[in-house]
């Protein structure tokens, strides 16, 4: 998720307006973890706005928590559930990206878990965290209540490219995947079978495309499509979205196909002389008719505008020069040699040592 009507650009004439969450249920992580694969659990979001699917991966010696929910109360609940599953095993925490409902409960884990982010996540949190905190507080009284007394937490360990966590009989690989939905998306692949990807993919929800000029324009639509192509090649058996029901790799195809459609239509309409607003309106109408079961169609216009400007930039440059450098999501690829943390480096990336 990302800033809504409190953003200065939202609601202006001809602009796309994001979903209004003022009537939504409070963004509370509820319920107990459900096992989706051996040793891999998810606290389901229940399709409640601004509640993520939270992952807990339990090995013989350690456990990994993936995302915290919004604010210290949610973080404390997630920590409690992790402790019930993990007992006295060592705990790690990571987040799929920096947005508040995914990572702004991390303070509950300070001193209780080793917090691991990629370098871009740390940089994006430092650059945008305080502004996002203020904007989210303006969404609704219920959201503001959960964000009361939030402290932005620095990681204990920072990696670049890839980090591998040996949990004991179970391995979790953390890989930098952004820029895509954000500048610093991260995937978590457990035993080459279970994929966590945050808001890179969501079940029956139009992809959240936070193109909010001039405040945040880091979303990279073409890079996002490329990431999804590479995730499809991994052939995960279980796919845990940022929001919505746990499913299989068909979700990756669905989101890829939608984004590719919007990109192609935005480029076609712009080449035919349509304005940005005309392009967004046409794509909005067509996408609503095509993906009739998906929620949050308010995000369609944002995706259309992002791809419209990408097409304009590509035309100016004479090529698709706005695409990010290639990165192989099967391994750390060309980024494997870059480390900015204390753990030891090993092979394809960072190996975080057991203690």
């Amino acid at each position: 998720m990302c800033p809504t009507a409190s953003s200065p650009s939202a609601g202006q004439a001809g602009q796309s307006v994001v979903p209004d969450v003022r009537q939504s249920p409070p963004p509370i992580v509820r319920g107990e973890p459900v096992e989706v694969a051996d040793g891999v659990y998810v606290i389901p979001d229940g399709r409640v706005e601004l509640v993520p699917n939270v992952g807990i991966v339990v090995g013989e010696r350690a456990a990994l928590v993936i995302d915290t929910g919004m604010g210290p109360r949610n973080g404390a609940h997630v920590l409690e559930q992790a402790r019930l599953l993990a007992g006295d095993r060592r705990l790690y925490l990571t987040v799929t990206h920096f947005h508040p409902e995914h990572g702004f409960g991390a303070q509950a884990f300070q001193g209780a878990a080793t917090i691991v982010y990629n370098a871009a996540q740390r940089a994006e949190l430092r650059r945008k965290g305080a502004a996002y905190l203020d904007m989210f507080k303006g969404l609704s009284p219920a959201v503001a209540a959960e964000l009361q007394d939030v402290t932005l937490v620095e990681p204990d360990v920072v990696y670049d490219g890839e980090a591998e966590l040996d949990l004991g009989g179970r391995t979790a690989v953390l890989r930098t995947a952004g820029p895509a939905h954000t500048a610093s998306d991260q995937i978590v692949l457990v035993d080459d079978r279970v994929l966590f990807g945050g808001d890179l993919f969501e079940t029956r929800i139009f992809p959240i495309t936070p193109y909010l000029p001039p405040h945040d324009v880091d979303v990279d639509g073409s890079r996002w499509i490329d990431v999804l192509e590479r995730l499809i090649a991994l052939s995960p058996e279980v796919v845990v979205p940022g929001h919505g029901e746990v499913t299989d790799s068909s979700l990756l195809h669905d989101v890829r196909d939608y984004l590719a459609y919007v990109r192609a239509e935005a480029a076609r309409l712009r080449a035919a002389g349509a304005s940005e607003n005309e392009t967004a309106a046409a794509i909005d109408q067509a996408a609503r008719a095509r993906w009739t079961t998906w929620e949050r169609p308010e995000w369609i216009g944002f995706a259309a505008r992002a791809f419209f400007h990408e097409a304009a930039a590509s035309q100016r440059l004479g090529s698709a020069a706005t695409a990010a450098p290639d990165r192989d999501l099967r391994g750390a690829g060309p980024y494997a040699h870059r480390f900015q943390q204390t753990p030891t480096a090993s092979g394809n990336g960072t190996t975080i040592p057991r203690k």
Side-chain angles (χ1 to χ4, degrees):
M1 188 62 183
C2 67
T4 66
S6 58
S7 299
S9 60
Q12 295 175 357
Q15 295 296 305
S16 300
V17 179
V18 298
D20 185 344
V21 301
R22 288 174 292 183
Q23 303 304 316
S24 299
I28 307 297
V29 178
R30 301 184 187 277
E32 299 179 353
V34 175
E35 192 168 25
V36 299
D38 291 344
V40 182
Y41 300 82
V42 172
I43 305 176
D45 70 338
R47 297 194 73 87
V48 175
E49 191 73 31
L50 295 174
V51 173
N53 288 313
V54 173
I56 304 172
V57 184
V58 182
E60 296 169 357
R61 293 184 297 273
L64 170 66
V65 177
I66 305 166
D67 287 347
T68 66
M70 179 185 293
R73 178 165 67 157
N74 281 313
H77 174 73
V78 171
L79 176 59
E80 178 184 13
Q81 294 300 315
R83 275 292 173 217
L84 289 174
L85 288 172
D88 60 358
R89 295 173 178 85
R90 182 176 183 179
L91 287 182
Y92 294 93
L93 168 69
T94 196
V95 299
T96 55
H97 59 296
F98 85 98
H99 284 165
E101 82 273 28
H102 292 269
F104 280 22
Q107 68 197 74
F109 287 79
Q110 284 187 297
T114 300
I115 302 174
V116 184
Y117 295 168
N118 66 51
Q121 282 178 316
R122 181 178 64 178
E124 194 165 21
L125 179 65
R126 288 174 174 176
R127 191 169 72 252
K128 302 178 184 176
Y132 267 70
L133 178 60
D134 288 344
M135 286 187 283
F136 269 69
K137 285 180 178 179
L139 300 186
S140 74
V143 172
E146 296 310 314
L147 292 174
Q148 190 70 28
D149 300 322
V150 160
T151 300
L152 300 181
V153 173
E154 290 275 317
D156 301 306
V157 174
V158 177
Y159 77 93
D160 202 2
E162 177 180 298
E164 181 177 296
L165 291 174
D166 180 356
L167 304 175
R170 189 155 288 112
T171 300
V173 177
L174 284 55
R175 292 178 184 153
T176 304
H181 166 66
T182 69
S184 58
D185 301 291
Q186 174 182 258
I187 67 161
V188 180
L189 187 63
V190 182
D191 292 338
D192 293 324
R193 297 180 55 238
V194 184
L195 175 67
F196 292 82
D199 292 351
L200 289 169
F201 38 84
E202 300 169 303
T203 304
R204 292 187 295 109
I205 299 171
F206 284 98
I208 297 167
T209 312
Y211 181 73
L212 300 165
H215 310 289
D216 192 343
V217 293
D218 285 339
V219 60
D220 188 330
S222 284
R223 181 72 176 81
W224 194 340
I225 293 169
D226 179 64
V227 167
L228 291 168
E229 293 279 7
R230 293 172 183 277
L231 294 179
I232 288 168
L234 298 176
S235 300
E237 298 174 23
V238 179
V239 173
V240 183
H243 304 273
E245 295 79 12
V246 176
T247 182
D248 56 30
S249 61
S250 63
L251 176 60
L252 306 177
H253 292 265
D254 291 343
V255 177
R256 185 272 316 272
D257 291 348
Y258 164 78
L259 291 173
Y261 167 81
V262 176
R263 178 174 64 177
E265 282 297 284
R268 181 185 68 82
L269 289 165
R270 184 183 180 280
S275 69
E276 177 183 339
N277 288 342
E278 290 168 341
T279 296
I283 292 175
D284 182 280
Q285 182 179 20
R288 287 173 187 257
R290 183 168 175 174
W291 286 275
T292 57
T293 64
W294 288 17
E295 298 175 359
R296 294 308 190 191
E298 298 91 337
W299 289 110
I300 299 169
F302 288 89
R305 295 176 190 281
F307 281 117
F308 183 92
H309 284 277
E310 180 180 296
S314 294
Q315 184 180 44
R316 287 194 302 269
L317 294 173
S319 65
T322 54
D326 192 25
R327 183 178 298 163
D328 184 0
L329 293 179
R330 290 184 179 274
Y335 294 83
H337 64 286
R338 294 162 53 193
F339 306 103
Q340 299 180 18
Q341 30 62 35
T342 54
T344 59
S346 173
N348 289 330
T350 301
T351 299
I352 298 178
R354 300 188 296 270
K355 293 183 180 179

